[in-house]
Amino acid sequence: MEMSDTQGYVLPCGRDMEAVWERLDRAGTGLGDTHDLTCEHCTAARQSLVVLQEVTGKLASEEIGPPLGLTGRIMSAVRAEVRRHHMLALPGAEPGGVQISEQAVAAVLRCAADSVDGVRARRCRISVTEREGAVEVEMSLAVAYRRFSADAVDEVRERVRAAAAARVGIALVRLDLTVEDLYDA
């Protein structure tokens, strides 16, 4: 038997609050026996319960949605967070310097790995080194099991290094490739 918050609460007249609530639900009007109609405690409890039913009914029927512009504000914050952090300085002779986000570099390197037949890049983690324009990269791959070989991994290594140098202008000091998964292609 499930306990409710009103069970065990006895009104000063001796009636259980749960009994008043049940009669209110059953009758719809809240009318019960002669005691219910004449007792000031039962009448007050019944009136309070009717108000509670009305208020909860109104709250339950309201359509609640997010405040206007909430999604836009969240996305602006997310975009700002991505833009502000994890920037990589590119080498160059020009004053002022140029920076690129690590996320953009990771996307270029994943695309280079994906260009190898039967290979799908998964995660790409970039670590900045002491030397300007040089990074360390950890990349995980999924490889088609029919294509899986040291040659496929070597080809990924070559394309990722070439893309880092030619497309981004950085040098890879270290490139760790991990085959995490094999898939059926």
Side-chain angles (χ1 to χ4, degrees):
M1 179 178 212
E2 192 174 299
M3 293 285 290
S4 75
D5 289 340
T6 58
Q7 194 167 17
Y9 179 76
V10 179
L11 295 170
C13 65
R15 289 277 171 113
D16 185 58
M17 184 71 152
E18 184 70 22
V20 176
W21 184 258
E22 286 175 5
R23 278 198 272 306
L24 183 66
D25 279 345
R26 254 195 329 252
T29 60
L31 299 177
D33 59 18
T34 55
H35 173 87
D36 288 339
L37 297 174
T38 58
C39 175
E40 65 179 291
H41 304 291
C42 290
T43 302
R46 193 173 47 256
Q47 288 172 347
S48 296
L49 291 174
V50 167
V51 170
L52 180 63
Q53 277 182 331
E54 289 172 3
V55 170
T56 55
K58 286 179 184 176
L59 288 174
S61 67
E62 283 183 16
E63 285 191 35
I64 299 174
L68 291 175
L70 177 65
T71 304
R73 290 194 313 263
I74 291 170
M75 291 310 298
S76 293
V78 168
R79 287 185 199 106
E81 188 70 21
V82 169
R83 285 191 299 262
R84 290 185 187 146
H85 294 294
H86 309 290
M87 297 301 284
L88 175 65
L90 296 176
E94 299 297 318
V98 175
Q99 292 187 332
I100 187 170
S101 74
E102 289 181 11
Q103 291 87 357
V105 174
V108 169
L109 301 182
R110 280 193 304 271
C111 184
D114 287 346
S115 70
V116 176
D117 185 41
V119 175
R120 295 179 187 157
R122 288 205 168 162
R123 281 175 274 129
C124 183
R125 185 173 167 268
I126 298 173
S127 302
V128 179
T129 63
E130 297 287 323
R131 194 174 106 206
E132 186 180 348
V135 297
E136 295 177 348
V137 174
E138 296 174 26
M139 184 181 291
S140 61
L141 308 170
V143 181
Y145 76 89
R146 290 190 179 108
R147 177 78 167 102
F148 181 70
S149 70
D151 292 339
V153 175
D154 288 341
E155 191 175 345
V156 169
R157 187 175 303 283
E158 288 173 22
R159 291 192 187 181
V160 168
R161 282 192 185 281
R167 293 186 181 163
V168 182
I170 58 173
L172 297 184
V173 175
R174 190 183 90 221
L175 174 57
D176 292 338
L177 298 174
T178 304
V179 177
E180 283 188 347
D181 197 9
L182 297 175
Y183 66 92
D184 187 18

mmCIF file of all heavy atoms in Angstrom, residues 23-74:
data_model
loop_
_atom_site.group_PDB
_atom_site.id
_atom_site.type_symbol
_atom_site.label_atom_id
_atom_site.label_comp_id
_atom_site.label_asym_id
_atom_site.label_seq_id
_atom_site.Cartn_x
_atom_site.Cartn_y
_atom_site.Cartn_z
ATOM 1 N N ARG A 23 -13.388 11.158 -0.775
ATOM 2 C CA ARG A 23 -14.782 11.516 -1.035
ATOM 3 C C ARG A 23 -14.855 12.661 -2.049
ATOM 4 O O ARG A 23 -15.750 12.696 -2.883
ATOM 5 C CB ARG A 23 -15.496 11.895 0.258
ATOM 6 C CG ARG A 23 -15.971 10.678 1.038
ATOM 7 C CD ARG A 23 -17.023 11.023 2.062
ATOM 8 N NE ARG A 23 -16.608 11.435 3.386
ATOM 9 C CZ ARG A 23 -15.799 10.779 4.206
ATOM 10 N NH1 ARG A 23 -15.253 9.663 3.830
ATOM 11 N NH2 ARG A 23 -15.525 11.237 5.398
ATOM 12 N N LEU A 24 -13.916 13.572 -1.979
ATOM 13 C CA LEU A 24 -13.873 14.687 -2.924
ATOM 14 C C LEU A 24 -13.622 14.161 -4.338
ATOM 15 O O LEU A 24 -14.286 14.578 -5.283
ATOM 16 C CB LEU A 24 -12.771 15.671 -2.524
ATOM 17 C CG LEU A 24 -12.626 16.928 -3.370
ATOM 18 C CD1 LEU A 24 -13.866 17.811 -3.210
ATOM 19 C CD2 LEU A 24 -11.387 17.694 -2.960
ATOM 20 N N ASP A 25 -12.721 13.222 -4.484
ATOM 21 C CA ASP A 25 -12.431 12.629 -5.788
ATOM 22 C C ASP A 25 -13.621 11.827 -6.307
ATOM 23 O O ASP A 25 -13.954 11.878 -7.480
ATOM 24 C CB ASP A 25 -11.216 11.692 -5.699
ATOM 25 C CG ASP A 25 -9.906 12.460 -5.756
ATOM 26 O OD1 ASP A 25 -9.923 13.645 -6.133
ATOM 27 O OD2 ASP A 25 -8.862 11.877 -5.414
ATOM 28 N N ARG A 26 -14.261 11.044 -5.433
ATOM 29 C CA ARG A 26 -15.371 10.185 -5.835
ATOM 30 C C ARG A 26 -16.599 10.982 -6.229
ATOM 31 O O ARG A 26 -17.201 10.748 -7.261
ATOM 32 C CB ARG A 26 -15.753 9.258 -4.670
ATOM 33 C CG ARG A 26 -15.337 7.852 -4.844
ATOM 34 C CD ARG A 26 -16.056 6.938 -3.853
ATOM 35 N NE ARG A 26 -16.392 7.565 -2.591
ATOM 36 C CZ ARG A 26 -15.805 7.318 -1.426
ATOM 37 N NH1 ARG A 26 -14.850 6.433 -1.351
ATOM 38 N NH2 ARG A 26 -16.165 7.941 -0.342
ATOM 39 N N ALA A 27 -16.954 11.941 -5.433
ATOM 40 C CA ALA A 27 -18.200 12.663 -5.652
ATOM 41 C C ALA A 27 -18.053 13.763 -6.698
ATOM 42 O O ALA A 27 -19.041 14.168 -7.301
ATOM 43 C CB ALA A 27 -18.689 13.272 -4.336
ATOM 44 N N GLY A 28 -16.859 14.256 -6.883
ATOM 45 C CA GLY A 28 -16.671 15.349 -7.829
ATOM 46 C C GLY A 28 -17.089 16.667 -7.215
ATOM 47 O O GLY A 28 -16.473 17.689 -7.426
ATOM 48 N N THR A 29 -18.112 16.632 -6.408
ATOM 49 C CA THR A 29 -18.585 17.853 -5.748
ATOM 50 C C THR A 29 -18.057 17.928 -4.334
ATOM 51 O O THR A 29 -18.133 18.973 -3.702
ATOM 52 C CB THR A 29 -20.126 17.873 -5.688
ATOM 53 O OG1 THR A 29 -20.553 16.734 -4.938
ATOM 54 C CG2 THR A 29 -20.729 17.853 -7.072
ATOM 55 N N GLY A 30 -17.565 16.810 -3.832
ATOM 56 C CA GLY A 30 -17.035 16.796 -2.481
ATOM 57 C C GLY A 30 -18.090 16.522 -1.432
ATOM 58 O O GLY A 30 -17.816 16.559 -0.251
ATOM 59 N N LEU A 31 -19.319 16.271 -1.855
ATOM 60 C CA LEU A 31 -20.372 16.008 -0.882
ATOM 61 C C LEU A 31 -20.243 14.601 -0.346
ATOM 62 O O LEU A 31 -19.986 13.665 -1.078
ATOM 63 C CB LEU A 31 -21.753 16.217 -1.516
ATOM 64 C CG LEU A 31 -22.027 17.627 -2.037
ATOM 65 C CD1 LEU A 31 -23.388 17.673 -2.707
ATOM 66 C CD2 LEU A 31 -21.935 18.632 -0.915
ATOM 67 N N GLY A 32 -20.420 14.463 0.918
ATOM 68 C CA GLY A 32 -20.313 13.156 1.546
ATOM 69 C C GLY A 32 -21.499 12.923 2.454
ATOM 70 O O GLY A 32 -22.630 13.280 2.126
ATOM 71 N N ASP A 33 -21.243 12.378 3.621
ATOM 72 C CA ASP A 33 -22.323 12.115 4.565
ATOM 73 C C ASP A 33 -22.686 13.398 5.319
ATOM 74 O O ASP A 33 -22.147 14.464 5.069
ATOM 75 C CB ASP A 33 -21.924 10.979 5.526
ATOM 76 C CG ASP A 33 -20.653 11.302 6.314
ATOM 77 O OD1 ASP A 33 -20.267 12.479 6.383
ATOM 78 O OD2 ASP A 33 -20.047 10.361 6.844
ATOM 79 N N THR A 34 -23.608 13.288 6.263
ATOM 80 C CA THR A 34 -24.081 14.474 6.991
ATOM 81 C C THR A 34 -22.963 15.114 7.809
ATOM 82 O O THR A 34 -22.927 16.336 7.958
ATOM 83 C CB THR A 34 -25.260 14.113 7.918
ATOM 84 O OG1 THR A 34 -24.870 13.056 8.777
ATOM 85 C CG2 THR A 34 -26.479 13.725 7.131
ATOM 86 N N HIS A 35 -22.040 14.319 8.314
ATOM 87 C CA HIS A 35 -20.910 14.891 9.061
ATOM 88 C C HIS A 35 -20.093 15.813 8.146
ATOM 89 O O HIS A 35 -19.726 16.918 8.557
ATOM 90 C CB HIS A 35 -20.011 13.780 9.635
ATOM 91 C CG HIS A 35 -18.766 14.311 10.269
ATOM 92 N ND1 HIS A 35 -18.715 14.711 11.587
ATOM 93 C CD2 HIS A 35 -17.528 14.547 9.756
ATOM 94 C CE1 HIS A 35 -17.511 15.160 11.863
ATOM 95 N NE2 HIS A 35 -16.756 15.061 10.762
ATOM 96 N N ASP A 36 -19.813 15.336 6.925
ATOM 97 C CA ASP A 36 -19.035 16.145 5.979
ATOM 98 C C ASP A 36 -19.708 17.482 5.679
ATOM 99 O O ASP A 36 -19.040 18.485 5.469
ATOM 100 C CB ASP A 36 -18.839 15.388 4.645
ATOM 101 C CG ASP A 36 -17.858 14.247 4.783
ATOM 102 O OD1 ASP A 36 -17.044 14.258 5.719
ATOM 103 O OD2 ASP A 36 -17.888 13.346 3.915
ATOM 104 N N LEU A 37 -21.027 17.467 5.643
ATOM 105 C CA LEU A 37 -21.769 18.678 5.298
ATOM 106 C C LEU A 37 -21.873 19.666 6.459
ATOM 107 O O LEU A 37 -22.042 20.867 6.241
ATOM 108 C CB LEU A 37 -23.175 18.314 4.816
ATOM 109 C CG LEU A 37 -23.220 17.472 3.528
ATOM 110 C CD1 LEU A 37 -24.656 17.047 3.240
ATOM 111 C CD2 LEU A 37 -22.647 18.260 2.368
ATOM 112 N N THR A 38 -21.803 19.184 7.685
ATOM 113 C CA THR A 38 -22.005 20.052 8.850
ATOM 114 C C THR A 38 -20.720 20.364 9.609
ATOM 115 O O THR A 38 -20.667 21.354 10.325
ATOM 116 C CB THR A 38 -23.008 19.417 9.822
ATOM 117 O OG1 THR A 38 -22.526 18.139 10.223
ATOM 118 C CG2 THR A 38 -24.380 19.274 9.176
ATOM 119 N N CYS A 39 -19.686 19.587 9.440
ATOM 120 C CA CYS A 39 -18.452 19.768 10.217
ATOM 121 C C CYS A 39 -17.609 20.896 9.620
ATOM 122 O O CYS A 39 -17.261 20.889 8.442
ATOM 123 C CB CYS A 39 -17.655 18.473 10.240
ATOM 124 S SG CYS A 39 -16.042 18.655 11.056
ATOM 125 N N GLU A 40 -17.266 21.868 10.484
ATOM 126 C CA GLU A 40 -16.461 22.996 10.015
ATOM 127 C C GLU A 40 -15.055 22.557 9.599
ATOM 128 O O GLU A 40 -14.473 23.119 8.667
ATOM 129 C CB GLU A 40 -16.393 24.091 11.081
ATOM 130 C CG GLU A 40 -15.651 23.642 12.339
ATOM 131 C CD GLU A 40 -15.554 24.719 13.396
ATOM 132 O OE1 GLU A 40 -14.819 25.707 13.170
ATOM 133 O OE2 GLU A 40 -16.202 24.556 14.440
ATOM 134 N N HIS A 41 -14.479 21.548 10.241
ATOM 135 C CA HIS A 41 -13.125 21.083 9.926
ATOM 136 C C HIS A 41 -13.102 20.363 8.577
ATOM 137 O O HIS A 41 -12.202 20.598 7.757
ATOM 138 C CB HIS A 41 -12.604 20.160 11.041
ATOM 139 C CG HIS A 41 -12.622 20.802 12.389
ATOM 140 N ND1 HIS A 41 -11.780 21.831 12.732
ATOM 141 C CD2 HIS A 41 -13.403 20.571 13.490
ATOM 142 C CE1 HIS A 41 -12.021 22.211 13.974
ATOM 143 N NE2 HIS A 41 -13.013 21.458 14.462
ATOM 144 N N CYS A 42 -14.081 19.507 8.356
ATOM 145 C CA CYS A 42 -14.159 18.794 7.073
ATOM 146 C C CYS A 42 -14.458 19.771 5.944
ATOM 147 O O CYS A 42 -13.905 19.642 4.839
ATOM 148 C CB CYS A 42 -15.228 17.704 7.129
ATOM 149 S SG CYS A 42 -14.762 16.317 8.193
ATOM 150 N N THR A 43 -15.316 20.766 6.192
ATOM 151 C CA THR A 43 -15.649 21.750 5.171
ATOM 152 C C THR A 43 -14.409 22.566 4.798
ATOM 153 O O THR A 43 -14.136 22.800 3.617
ATOM 154 C CB THR A 43 -16.770 22.692 5.671
ATOM 155 O OG1 THR A 43 -17.917 21.904 6.005
ATOM 156 C CG2 THR A 43 -17.145 23.717 4.630
ATOM 157 N N ALA A 44 -13.644 23.014 5.805
ATOM 158 C CA ALA A 44 -12.434 23.794 5.544
ATOM 159 C C ALA A 44 -11.406 22.949 4.788
ATOM 160 O O ALA A 44 -10.763 23.430 3.840
ATOM 161 C CB ALA A 44 -11.842 24.307 6.854
ATOM 162 N N ALA A 45 -11.255 21.687 5.193
ATOM 163 C CA ALA A 45 -10.300 20.796 4.514
ATOM 164 C C ALA A 45 -10.732 20.577 3.071
ATOM 165 O O ALA A 45 -9.908 20.609 2.151
ATOM 166 C CB ALA A 45 -10.204 19.464 5.259
ATOM 167 N N ARG A 46 -12.037 20.347 2.868
ATOM 168 C CA ARG A 46 -12.562 20.128 1.526
ATOM 169 C C ARG A 46 -12.351 21.356 0.648
ATOM 170 O O ARG A 46 -11.918 21.245 -0.506
ATOM 171 C CB ARG A 46 -14.047 19.750 1.605
ATOM 172 C CG ARG A 46 -14.607 19.195 0.325
ATOM 173 C CD ARG A 46 -16.033 18.657 0.456
ATOM 174 N NE ARG A 46 -16.957 19.550 1.158
ATOM 175 C CZ ARG A 46 -17.382 19.387 2.416
ATOM 176 N NH1 ARG A 46 -16.994 18.352 3.112
ATOM 177 N NH2 ARG A 46 -18.212 20.241 2.965
ATOM 178 N N GLN A 47 -12.583 22.544 1.176
ATOM 179 C CA GLN A 47 -12.371 23.778 0.417
ATOM 180 C C GLN A 47 -10.897 23.951 0.036
ATOM 181 O O GLN A 47 -10.580 24.353 -1.078
ATOM 182 C CB GLN A 47 -12.871 24.985 1.212
ATOM 183 C CG GLN A 47 -14.379 25.062 1.304
ATOM 184 C CD GLN A 47 -14.845 26.149 2.265
ATOM 185 O OE1 GLN A 47 -14.072 26.697 3.045
ATOM 186 N NE2 GLN A 47 -16.150 26.435 2.214
ATOM 187 N N SER A 48 -10.016 23.652 0.961
ATOM 188 C CA SER A 48 -8.579 23.736 0.674
ATOM 189 C C SER A 48 -8.181 22.750 -0.415
ATOM 190 O O SER A 48 -7.389 23.070 -1.312
ATOM 191 C CB SER A 48 -7.762 23.447 1.938
ATOM 192 O OG SER A 48 -8.001 24.419 2.910
ATOM 193 N N LEU A 49 -8.757 21.557 -0.363
ATOM 194 C CA LEU A 49 -8.434 20.541 -1.365
ATOM 195 C C LEU A 49 -8.992 20.915 -2.735
ATOM 196 O O LEU A 49 -8.356 20.647 -3.760
ATOM 197 C CB LEU A 49 -8.958 19.169 -0.913
ATOM 198 C CG LEU A 49 -8.240 18.567 0.295
ATOM 199 C CD1 LEU A 49 -8.947 17.288 0.746
ATOM 200 C CD2 LEU A 49 -6.780 18.300 -0.012
ATOM 201 N N VAL A 50 -10.158 21.549 -2.782
ATOM 202 C CA VAL A 50 -10.733 21.999 -4.052
ATOM 203 C C VAL A 50 -9.828 23.059 -4.676
ATOM 204 O O VAL A 50 -9.540 23.029 -5.872
ATOM 205 C CB VAL A 50 -12.178 22.526 -3.864
ATOM 206 C CG1 VAL A 50 -12.660 23.278 -5.087
ATOM 207 C CG2 VAL A 50 -13.120 21.373 -3.543
ATOM 208 N N VAL A 51 -9.347 24.006 -3.873
ATOM 209 C CA VAL A 51 -8.430 25.033 -4.371
ATOM 210 C C VAL A 51 -7.148 24.381 -4.889
ATOM 211 O O VAL A 51 -6.648 24.726 -5.963
ATOM 212 C CB VAL A 51 -8.114 26.073 -3.264
ATOM 213 C CG1 VAL A 51 -6.978 26.990 -3.683
ATOM 214 C CG2 VAL A 51 -9.362 26.881 -2.921
ATOM 215 N N LEU A 52 -6.646 23.416 -4.146
ATOM 216 C CA LEU A 52 -5.426 22.704 -4.560
ATOM 217 C C LEU A 52 -5.644 21.988 -5.892
ATOM 218 O O LEU A 52 -4.791 22.050 -6.788
ATOM 219 C CB LEU A 52 -5.010 21.698 -3.479
ATOM 220 C CG LEU A 52 -3.764 20.880 -3.762
ATOM 221 C CD1 LEU A 52 -2.537 21.783 -3.871
ATOM 222 C CD2 LEU A 52 -3.560 19.838 -2.679
ATOM 223 N N GLN A 53 -6.797 21.346 -6.065
ATOM 224 C CA GLN A 53 -7.108 20.687 -7.335
ATOM 225 C C GLN A 53 -7.170 21.686 -8.481
ATOM 226 O O GLN A 53 -6.661 21.423 -9.565
ATOM 227 C CB GLN A 53 -8.461 19.952 -7.243
ATOM 228 C CG GLN A 53 -8.396 18.601 -6.634
ATOM 229 C CD GLN A 53 -9.768 17.927 -6.635
ATOM 230 O OE1 GLN A 53 -10.811 18.582 -6.579
ATOM 231 N NE2 GLN A 53 -9.756 16.605 -6.700
ATOM 232 N N GLU A 54 -7.792 22.819 -8.263
ATOM 233 C CA GLU A 54 -7.907 23.830 -9.318
ATOM 234 C C GLU A 54 -6.540 24.367 -9.725
ATOM 235 O O GLU A 54 -6.233 24.487 -10.912
ATOM 236 C CB GLU A 54 -8.808 24.983 -8.855
ATOM 237 C CG GLU A 54 -10.265 24.613 -8.751
ATOM 238 C CD GLU A 54 -11.113 25.722 -8.113
ATOM 239 O OE1 GLU A 54 -10.562 26.805 -7.801
ATOM 240 O OE2 GLU A 54 -12.319 25.486 -7.927
ATOM 241 N N VAL A 55 -5.728 24.689 -8.735
ATOM 242 C CA VAL A 55 -4.400 25.248 -9.017
ATOM 243 C C VAL A 55 -3.517 24.226 -9.734
ATOM 244 O O VAL A 55 -2.864 24.544 -10.733
ATOM 245 C CB VAL A 55 -3.729 25.746 -7.712
ATOM 246 C CG1 VAL A 55 -2.270 26.109 -7.948
ATOM 247 C CG2 VAL A 55 -4.483 26.939 -7.158
ATOM 248 N N THR A 56 -3.495 23.007 -9.249
ATOM 249 C CA THR A 56 -2.660 21.985 -9.902
ATOM 250 C C THR A 56 -3.190 21.664 -11.288
ATOM 251 O O THR A 56 -2.417 21.387 -12.202
ATOM 252 C CB THR A 56 -2.559 20.697 -9.054
ATOM 253 O OG1 THR A 56 -3.867 20.215 -8.761
ATOM 254 C CG2 THR A 56 -1.785 20.930 -7.783
ATOM 255 N N GLY A 57 -4.510 21.728 -11.468
ATOM 256 C CA GLY A 57 -5.074 21.509 -12.800
ATOM 257 C C GLY A 57 -4.628 22.586 -13.775
ATOM 258 O O GLY A 57 -4.284 22.300 -14.920
ATOM 259 N N LYS A 58 -4.635 23.854 -13.319
ATOM 260 C CA LYS A 58 -4.167 24.955 -14.171
ATOM 261 C C LYS A 58 -2.689 24.797 -14.498
ATOM 262 O O LYS A 58 -2.275 24.990 -15.641
ATOM 263 C CB LYS A 58 -4.403 26.300 -13.490
ATOM 264 C CG LYS A 58 -5.852 26.733 -13.477
ATOM 265 C CD LYS A 58 -6.023 28.055 -12.757
ATOM 266 C CE LYS A 58 -7.490 28.433 -12.670
ATOM 267 N NZ LYS A 58 -7.698 29.671 -11.895
ATOM 268 N N LEU A 59 -1.882 24.471 -13.496
ATOM 269 C CA LEU A 59 -0.445 24.291 -13.735
ATOM 270 C C LEU A 59 -0.177 23.140 -14.700
ATOM 271 O O LEU A 59 0.687 23.240 -15.570
ATOM 272 C CB LEU A 59 0.292 24.043 -12.413
ATOM 273 C CG LEU A 59 0.435 25.245 -11.491
ATOM 274 C CD1 LEU A 59 1.041 24.818 -10.158
ATOM 275 C CD2 LEU A 59 1.287 26.322 -12.138
ATOM 276 N N ALA A 60 -0.931 22.071 -14.550
ATOM 277 C CA ALA A 60 -0.727 20.911 -15.418
ATOM 278 C C ALA A 60 -1.140 21.194 -16.853
ATOM 279 O O ALA A 60 -0.574 20.622 -17.796
ATOM 280 C CB ALA A 60 -1.508 19.710 -14.871
ATOM 281 N N SER A 61 -2.100 22.089 -17.044
ATOM 282 C CA SER A 61 -2.567 22.366 -18.406
ATOM 283 C C SER A 61 -1.726 23.413 -19.128
ATOM 284 O O SER A 61 -1.845 23.583 -20.337
ATOM 285 C CB SER A 61 -4.027 22.816 -18.380
ATOM 286 O OG SER A 61 -4.139 24.073 -17.732
ATOM 287 N N GLU A 62 -0.880 24.150 -18.394
ATOM 288 C CA GLU A 62 -0.048 25.182 -19.024
ATOM 289 C C GLU A 62 1.015 24.552 -19.904
ATOM 290 O O GLU A 62 1.634 23.563 -19.541
ATOM 291 C CB GLU A 62 0.658 26.028 -17.959
ATOM 292 C CG GLU A 62 -0.227 27.035 -17.288
ATOM 293 C CD GLU A 62 0.564 27.889 -16.290
ATOM 294 O OE1 GLU A 62 1.804 27.906 -16.351
ATOM 295 O OE2 GLU A 62 -0.089 28.518 -15.458
ATOM 296 N N GLU A 63 1.196 25.157 -21.060
ATOM 297 C CA GLU A 63 2.291 24.729 -21.933
ATOM 298 C C GLU A 63 3.509 25.535 -21.534
ATOM 299 O O GLU A 63 3.515 26.765 -21.607
ATOM 300 C CB GLU A 63 1.946 24.975 -23.398
ATOM 301 C CG GLU A 63 0.952 23.985 -23.947
ATOM 302 C CD GLU A 63 0.834 24.098 -25.458
ATOM 303 O OE1 GLU A 63 1.834 24.379 -26.133
ATOM 304 O OE2 GLU A 63 -0.288 23.899 -25.928
ATOM 305 N N ILE A 64 4.520 24.825 -21.096
ATOM 306 C CA ILE A 64 5.728 25.487 -20.637
ATOM 307 C C ILE A 64 6.818 25.257 -21.673
ATOM 308 O O ILE A 64 7.061 24.137 -22.110
ATOM 309 C CB ILE A 64 6.176 24.927 -19.274
ATOM 310 C CG1 ILE A 64 5.072 25.179 -18.250
ATOM 311 C CG2 ILE A 64 7.481 25.553 -18.833
ATOM 312 C CD1 ILE A 64 5.316 24.563 -16.908
ATOM 313 N N GLY A 65 7.460 26.317 -22.060
ATOM 314 C CA GLY A 65 8.550 26.241 -23.016
ATOM 315 C C GLY A 65 9.710 27.089 -22.534
ATOM 316 O O GLY A 65 9.579 27.861 -21.588
ATOM 317 N N PRO A 66 10.822 26.950 -23.194
ATOM 318 C CA PRO A 66 11.974 27.749 -22.789
ATOM 319 C C PRO A 66 11.724 29.224 -23.092
ATOM 320 O O PRO A 66 10.967 29.555 -24.013
ATOM 321 C CB PRO A 66 13.118 27.201 -23.651
ATOM 322 C CG PRO A 66 12.443 26.578 -24.829
ATOM 323 C CD PRO A 66 11.120 26.089 -24.337
ATOM 324 N N PRO A 67 12.351 30.095 -22.343
ATOM 325 C CA PRO A 67 12.205 31.526 -22.620
ATOM 326 C C PRO A 67 12.677 31.850 -24.033
ATOM 327 O O PRO A 67 13.554 31.164 -24.575
ATOM 328 C CB PRO A 67 13.119 32.200 -21.593
ATOM 329 C CG PRO A 67 13.412 31.169 -20.569
ATOM 330 C CD PRO A 67 13.217 29.837 -21.212
ATOM 331 N N LEU A 68 12.101 32.891 -24.620
ATOM 332 C CA LEU A 68 12.488 33.292 -25.970
ATOM 333 C C LEU A 68 13.981 33.580 -26.018
ATOM 334 O O LEU A 68 14.530 34.243 -25.151
ATOM 335 C CB LEU A 68 11.713 34.536 -26.394
ATOM 336 C CG LEU A 68 10.215 34.337 -26.638
ATOM 337 C CD1 LEU A 68 9.561 35.674 -26.936
ATOM 338 C CD2 LEU A 68 9.983 33.361 -27.775
ATOM 339 N N GLY A 69 14.625 33.050 -27.053
ATOM 340 C CA GLY A 69 16.044 33.316 -27.254
ATOM 341 C C GLY A 69 16.991 32.456 -26.443
ATOM 342 O O GLY A 69 18.204 32.624 -26.537
ATOM 343 N N LEU A 70 16.461 31.531 -25.639
ATOM 344 C CA LEU A 70 17.343 30.715 -24.809
ATOM 345 C C LEU A 70 18.293 29.881 -25.658
ATOM 346 O O LEU A 70 19.501 29.848 -25.405
ATOM 347 C CB LEU A 70 16.524 29.797 -23.885
ATOM 348 C CG LEU A 70 17.351 28.841 -23.021
ATOM 349 C CD1 LEU A 70 18.200 29.627 -22.033
ATOM 350 C CD2 LEU A 70 16.462 27.854 -22.300
ATOM 351 N N THR A 71 17.780 29.228 -26.684
ATOM 352 C CA THR A 71 18.627 28.397 -27.543
ATOM 353 C C THR A 71 19.712 29.233 -28.200
ATOM 354 O O THR A 71 20.869 28.842 -28.253
ATOM 355 C CB THR A 71 17.781 27.683 -28.608
ATOM 356 O OG1 THR A 71 16.757 26.936 -27.957
ATOM 357 C CG2 THR A 71 18.619 26.767 -29.462
ATOM 358 N N GLY A 72 19.363 30.406 -28.677
ATOM 359 C CA GLY A 72 20.345 31.298 -29.299
ATOM 360 C C GLY A 72 21.435 31.713 -28.329
ATOM 361 O O GLY A 72 22.614 31.755 -28.688
ATOM 362 N N ARG A 73 21.030 32.026 -27.086
ATOM 363 C CA ARG A 73 22.027 32.423 -26.079
ATOM 364 C C ARG A 73 22.950 31.265 -25.738
ATOM 365 O O ARG A 73 24.160 31.454 -25.576
ATOM 366 C CB ARG A 73 21.332 32.936 -24.822
ATOM 367 C CG ARG A 73 20.650 34.278 -25.023
ATOM 368 C CD ARG A 73 20.251 34.945 -23.722
ATOM 369 N NE ARG A 73 19.571 34.087 -22.777
ATOM 370 C CZ ARG A 73 18.257 34.012 -22.619
ATOM 371 N NH1 ARG A 73 17.454 34.746 -23.362
ATOM 372 N NH2 ARG A 73 17.725 33.208 -21.720
ATOM 373 N N ILE A 74 22.411 30.062 -25.645
ATOM 374 C CA ILE A 74 23.240 28.887 -25.353
ATOM 375 C C ILE A 74 24.231 28.650 -26.480
ATOM 376 O O ILE A 74 25.423 28.436 -26.245
ATOM 377 C CB ILE A 74 22.367 27.635 -25.117
ATOM 378 C CG1 ILE A 74 21.598 27.768 -23.808
ATOM 379 C CG2 ILE A 74 23.219 26.367 -25.122
ATOM 380 C CD1 ILE A 74 20.546 26.707 -23.594
#
